[in-house]
PDB file of all heavy atoms in Angstrom:
ATOM      1  N   MET R   8      78.726 173.698 135.216  1.00  0.00           N
ATOM      2  CA  MET R   8      77.986 174.687 136.009  1.00  0.00           C
ATOM      3  C   MET R   8      76.496 174.368 135.931  1.00  0.00           C
ATOM      4  O   MET R   8      75.912 174.301 134.843  1.00  0.00           O
ATOM      5  CB  MET R   8      78.260 176.093 135.474  1.00  0.00           C
ATOM      6  CG  MET R   8      77.651 177.211 136.299  1.00  0.00           C
ATOM      7  SD  MET R   8      78.117 178.833 135.649  1.00  0.00           S
ATOM      8  CE  MET R   8      77.346 179.922 136.831  1.00  0.00           C
ATOM      9  N   ILE R  28      84.165 174.969 126.107  1.00  0.00           N
ATOM     10  CA  ILE R  28      84.244 176.427 126.269  1.00  0.00           C
ATOM     11  C   ILE R  28      83.358 176.921 127.422  1.00  0.00           C
ATOM     12  O   ILE R  28      83.134 178.117 127.544  1.00  0.00           O
ATOM     13  CB  ILE R  28      83.860 177.138 124.949  1.00  0.00           C
ATOM     14  CG1 ILE R  28      82.571 176.560 124.334  1.00  0.00           C
ATOM     15  CG2 ILE R  28      84.971 177.033 123.936  1.00  0.00           C
ATOM     16  CD1 ILE R  28      81.311 177.041 124.896  1.00  0.00           C
ATOM     17  N   SER R  30      83.855 177.249 130.568  1.00  0.00           N
ATOM     18  CA  SER R  30      84.479 178.152 131.540  1.00  0.00           C
ATOM     19  C   SER R  30      84.433 179.585 131.046  1.00  0.00           C
ATOM     20  O   SER R  30      84.226 180.522 131.820  1.00  0.00           O
ATOM     21  CB  SER R  30      85.924 177.735 131.813  1.00  0.00           C
ATOM     22  OG  SER R  30      86.704 177.798 130.633  1.00  0.00           O
ATOM     23  N   SER R  47      74.104 186.117 144.243  1.00  0.00           N
ATOM     24  CA  SER R  47      74.237 184.696 143.933  1.00  0.00           C
ATOM     25  C   SER R  47      73.625 184.378 142.571  1.00  0.00           C
ATOM     26  O   SER R  47      72.845 185.169 142.023  1.00  0.00           O
ATOM     27  CB  SER R  47      73.558 183.844 145.005  1.00  0.00           C
ATOM     28  OG  SER R  47      72.154 184.055 144.979  1.00  0.00           O
ATOM     29  N   TYR R  54      65.705 186.376 138.645  1.00  0.00           N
ATOM     30  CA  TYR R  54      65.587 187.568 137.807  1.00  0.00           C
ATOM     31  C   TYR R  54      65.161 187.186 136.388  1.00  0.00           C
ATOM     32  O   TYR R  54      64.311 187.855 135.774  1.00  0.00           O
ATOM     33  CB  TYR R  54      66.934 188.291 137.788  1.00  0.00           C
ATOM     34  CG  TYR R  54      66.945 189.589 137.018  1.00  0.00           C
ATOM     35  CD1 TYR R  54      66.409 190.765 137.578  1.00  0.00           C
ATOM     36  CD2 TYR R  54      67.489 189.667 135.739  1.00  0.00           C
ATOM     37  CE1 TYR R  54      66.422 191.968 136.884  1.00  0.00           C
ATOM     38  CE2 TYR R  54      67.519 190.855 135.037  1.00  0.00           C
ATOM     39  CZ  TYR R  54      66.979 192.009 135.614  1.00  0.00           C
ATOM     40  OH  TYR R  54      67.002 193.190 134.912  1.00  0.00           O
ATOM     41  N   GLU R  87      87.941 173.153  97.082  1.00  0.00           N
ATOM     42  CA  GLU R  87      88.665 173.678  95.926  1.00  0.00           C
ATOM     43  C   GLU R  87      88.863 172.629  94.844  1.00  0.00           C
ATOM     44  O   GLU R  87      88.664 172.906  93.650  1.00  0.00           O
ATOM     45  CB  GLU R  87      90.023 174.213  96.391  1.00  0.00           C
ATOM     46  CG  GLU R  87      90.909 174.722  95.270  1.00  0.00           C
ATOM     47  CD  GLU R  87      92.279 175.167  95.769  1.00  0.00           C
ATOM     48  OE1 GLU R  87      92.504 175.176  96.997  1.00  0.00           O
ATOM     49  OE2 GLU R  87      93.121 175.500  94.912  1.00  0.00           O
ATOM     50  N   PRO R  92      84.296 172.602  91.818  1.00  0.00           N
ATOM     51  CA  PRO R  92      84.264 172.275  90.382  1.00  0.00           C
ATOM     52  C   PRO R  92      83.026 171.482  89.971  1.00  0.00           C
ATOM     53  O   PRO R  92      82.464 171.728  88.890  1.00  0.00           O
ATOM     54  CB  PRO R  92      85.544 171.456  90.187  1.00  0.00           C
ATOM     55  CG  PRO R  92      86.483 171.983  91.227  1.00  0.00           C
ATOM     56  CD  PRO R  92      85.604 172.251  92.419  1.00  0.00           C
ATOM     57  N   ASP R 102      72.868 176.389  82.386  1.00  0.00           N
ATOM     58  CA  ASP R 102      72.982 177.735  81.798  1.00  0.00           C
ATOM     59  C   ASP R 102      72.905 178.833  82.854  1.00  0.00           C
ATOM     60  O   ASP R 102      72.369 179.926  82.598  1.00  0.00           O
ATOM     61  CB  ASP R 102      71.901 177.954  80.726  1.00  0.00           C
ATOM     62  CG  ASP R 102      72.099 177.065  79.509  1.00  0.00           C
ATOM     63  OD1 ASP R 102      73.257 176.841  79.132  1.00  0.00           O
ATOM     64  OD2 ASP R 102      71.078 176.591  78.960  1.00  0.00           O
ATOM     65  N   ASP R 104      74.882 181.492  85.521  1.00  0.00           N
ATOM     66  CA  ASP R 104      76.143 182.221  85.506  1.00  0.00           C
ATOM     67  C   ASP R 104      76.607 182.651  86.896  1.00  0.00           C
ATOM     68  O   ASP R 104      77.593 183.383  87.026  1.00  0.00           O
ATOM     69  CB  ASP R 104      76.035 183.445  84.594  1.00  0.00           C
ATOM     70  CG  ASP R 104      74.919 184.395  85.005  1.00  0.00           C
ATOM     71  OD1 ASP R 104      74.270 184.164  86.049  1.00  0.00           O
ATOM     72  OD2 ASP R 104      74.686 185.383  84.279  1.00  0.00           O
ATOM     73  N   MET R 123      85.758 182.961  98.947  1.00  0.00           N
ATOM     74  CA  MET R 123      85.894 183.857  97.803  1.00  0.00           C
ATOM     75  C   MET R 123      87.326 183.850  97.270  1.00  0.00           C
ATOM     76  O   MET R 123      87.549 183.887  96.051  1.00  0.00           O
ATOM     77  CB  MET R 123      85.482 185.281  98.195  1.00  0.00           C
ATOM     78  CG  MET R 123      85.441 186.255  97.019  1.00  0.00           C
ATOM     79  SD  MET R 123      84.342 185.714  95.660  1.00  0.00           S
ATOM     80  CE  MET R 123      82.745 185.780  96.496  1.00  0.00           C
ATOM     81  N   MET R 139      80.859 183.921  91.580  1.00  0.00           N
ATOM     82  CA  MET R 139      80.349 183.436  92.858  1.00  0.00           C
ATOM     83  C   MET R 139      79.745 184.586  93.656  1.00  0.00           C
ATOM     84  O   MET R 139      80.325 185.677  93.712  1.00  0.00           O
ATOM     85  CB  MET R 139      81.473 182.782  93.673  1.00  0.00           C
ATOM     86  CG  MET R 139      81.042 182.308  95.067  1.00  0.00           C
ATOM     87  SD  MET R 139      82.420 181.629  96.031  1.00  0.00           S
ATOM     88  CE  MET R 139      82.630 180.053  95.213  1.00  0.00           C
ATOM     89  N   TYR R 189      87.989 191.563  96.534  1.00  0.00           N
ATOM     90  CA  TYR R 189      87.552 190.255  97.029  1.00  0.00           C
ATOM     91  C   TYR R 189      86.343 190.367  97.964  1.00  0.00           C
ATOM     92  O   TYR R 189      85.877 189.361  98.485  1.00  0.00           O
ATOM     93  CB  TYR R 189      88.706 189.555  97.733  1.00  0.00           C
ATOM     94  CG  TYR R 189      89.910 189.379  96.841  1.00  0.00           C
ATOM     95  CD1 TYR R 189      91.057 190.146  97.033  1.00  0.00           C
ATOM     96  CD2 TYR R 189      89.887 188.483  95.787  1.00  0.00           C
ATOM     97  CE1 TYR R 189      92.158 190.003  96.203  1.00  0.00           C
ATOM     98  CE2 TYR R 189      90.988 188.333  94.941  1.00  0.00           C
ATOM     99  CZ  TYR R 189      92.118 189.103  95.160  1.00  0.00           C
ATOM    100  OH  TYR R 189      93.202 188.964  94.324  1.00  0.00           O
ATOM    101  N   LYS R 190      85.872 191.573  98.160  1.00  0.00           N
ATOM    102  CA  LYS R 190      84.712 191.790  99.027  1.00  0.00           C
ATOM    103  C   LYS R 190      83.433 192.043  98.232  1.00  0.00           C
ATOM    104  O   LYS R 190      82.330 191.934  98.774  1.00  0.00           O
ATOM    105  CB  LYS R 190      84.967 193.005  99.945  1.00  0.00           C
ATOM    106  CG  LYS R 190      86.131 192.846 100.892  1.00  0.00           C
ATOM    107  CD  LYS R 190      86.555 194.168 101.517  1.00  0.00           C
ATOM    108  CE  LYS R 190      85.450 194.866 102.259  1.00  0.00           C
ATOM    109  NZ  LYS R 190      85.905 196.112 102.900  1.00  0.00           N
ATOM    110  N   ARG R 191      83.576 192.355  96.967  1.00  0.00           N
ATOM    111  CA  ARG R 191      82.443 192.896  96.220  1.00  0.00           C
ATOM    112  C   ARG R 191      81.307 191.893  96.031  1.00  0.00           C
ATOM    113  O   ARG R 191      80.152 192.299  95.829  1.00  0.00           O
ATOM    114  CB  ARG R 191      82.901 193.410  94.859  1.00  0.00           C
ATOM    115  CG  ARG R 191      83.441 192.335  93.918  1.00  0.00           C
ATOM    116  CD  ARG R 191      83.904 192.927  92.584  1.00  0.00           C
ATOM    117  NE  ARG R 191      84.331 191.910  91.638  1.00  0.00           N
ATOM    118  CZ  ARG R 191      85.550 191.408  91.568  1.00  0.00           C
ATOM    119  NH1 ARG R 191      86.473 191.864  92.435  1.00  0.00           N
ATOM    120  NH2 ARG R 191      85.868 190.488  90.676  1.00  0.00           N
ATOM    121  N   ASP R 194      77.912 189.535 100.567  1.00  0.00           N
ATOM    122  CA  ASP R 194      76.939 190.378 101.265  1.00  0.00           C
ATOM    123  C   ASP R 194      76.681 189.810 102.653  1.00  0.00           C
ATOM    124  O   ASP R 194      76.523 188.595 102.822  1.00  0.00           O
ATOM    125  CB  ASP R 194      75.621 190.436 100.497  1.00  0.00           C
ATOM    126  CG  ASP R 194      75.750 191.209  99.201  1.00  0.00           C
ATOM    127  OD1 ASP R 194      76.522 192.190  99.176  1.00  0.00           O
ATOM    128  OD2 ASP R 194      75.091 190.830  98.216  1.00  0.00           O
ATOM    129  N   GLN R 196      74.408 189.827 106.280  1.00  0.00           N
ATOM    130  CA  GLN R 196      73.035 190.034 106.744  1.00  0.00           C
ATOM    131  C   GLN R 196      72.910 189.552 108.182  1.00  0.00           C
ATOM    132  O   GLN R 196      73.359 188.456 108.513  1.00  0.00           O
ATOM    133  CB  GLN R 196      72.085 189.246 105.843  1.00  0.00           C
ATOM    134  CG  GLN R 196      70.614 189.405 106.153  1.00  0.00           C
ATOM    135  CD  GLN R 196      69.765 188.737 105.085  1.00  0.00           C
ATOM    136  OE1 GLN R 196      69.900 189.032 103.898  1.00  0.00           O
ATOM    137  NE2 GLN R 196      68.893 187.822 105.493  1.00  0.00           N
ATOM    138  N   LEU R 213      77.360 176.484 103.905  1.00  0.00           N
ATOM    139  CA  LEU R 213      78.323 176.173 104.949  1.00  0.00           C
ATOM    140  C   LEU R 213      77.697 176.509 106.296  1.00  0.00           C
ATOM    141  O   LEU R 213      77.315 177.661 106.537  1.00  0.00           O
ATOM    142  CB  LEU R 213      79.618 176.973 104.764  1.00  0.00           C
ATOM    143  CG  LEU R 213      80.404 176.668 103.491  1.00  0.00           C
ATOM    144  CD1 LEU R 213      80.093 177.707 102.416  1.00  0.00           C
ATOM    145  CD2 LEU R 213      81.906 176.644 103.760  1.00  0.00           C
ATOM    146  N   PRO R 224      68.844 168.736 119.764  1.00  0.00           N
ATOM    147  CA  PRO R 224      68.557 167.865 118.612  1.00  0.00           C
ATOM    148  C   PRO R 224      67.286 168.221 117.852  1.00  0.00           C
ATOM    149  O   PRO R 224      67.258 168.125 116.624  1.00  0.00           O
ATOM    150  CB  PRO R 224      68.456 166.473 119.257  1.00  0.00           C
ATOM    151  CG  PRO R 224      69.321 166.558 120.476  1.00  0.00           C
ATOM    152  CD  PRO R 224      69.126 167.957 120.983  1.00  0.00           C
ATOM    153  N   GLU R 260      73.101 162.608 100.668  1.00  0.00           N
ATOM    154  CA  GLU R 260      74.181 161.718 100.285  1.00  0.00           C
ATOM    155  C   GLU R 260      75.449 162.160 100.999  1.00  0.00           C
ATOM    156  O   GLU R 260      75.634 163.339 101.266  1.00  0.00           O
ATOM    157  CB  GLU R 260      74.387 161.767  98.768  1.00  0.00           C
ATOM    158  CG  GLU R 260      73.195 161.289  97.965  1.00  0.00           C
ATOM    159  CD  GLU R 260      73.365 161.531  96.477  1.00  0.00           C
ATOM    160  OE1 GLU R 260      74.340 162.210  96.097  1.00  0.00           O
ATOM    161  OE2 GLU R 260      72.517 161.065  95.702  1.00  0.00           O
ATOM    162  N   GLY R 272      70.753 164.895  96.880  1.00  0.00           N
ATOM    163  CA  GLY R 272      70.799 164.049  95.696  1.00  0.00           C
ATOM    164  C   GLY R 272      70.018 164.601  94.525  1.00  0.00           C
ATOM    165  O   GLY R 272      68.952 165.198  94.684  1.00  0.00           O
TER     166      GLY R 272
END
Side-chain angles (χ1 to χ4, degrees):
M8 186 176 183
I28 47 81
S30 61
S47 66
Y54 183 78
E87 177 183 355
D102 293 323
D104 58 5
M123 187 56 65
M139 177 183 286
Y189 302 107
K190 298 166 57 178
R191 65 181 184 273
D194 291 325
Q196 183 172 305
L213 296 98
E260 297 172 352

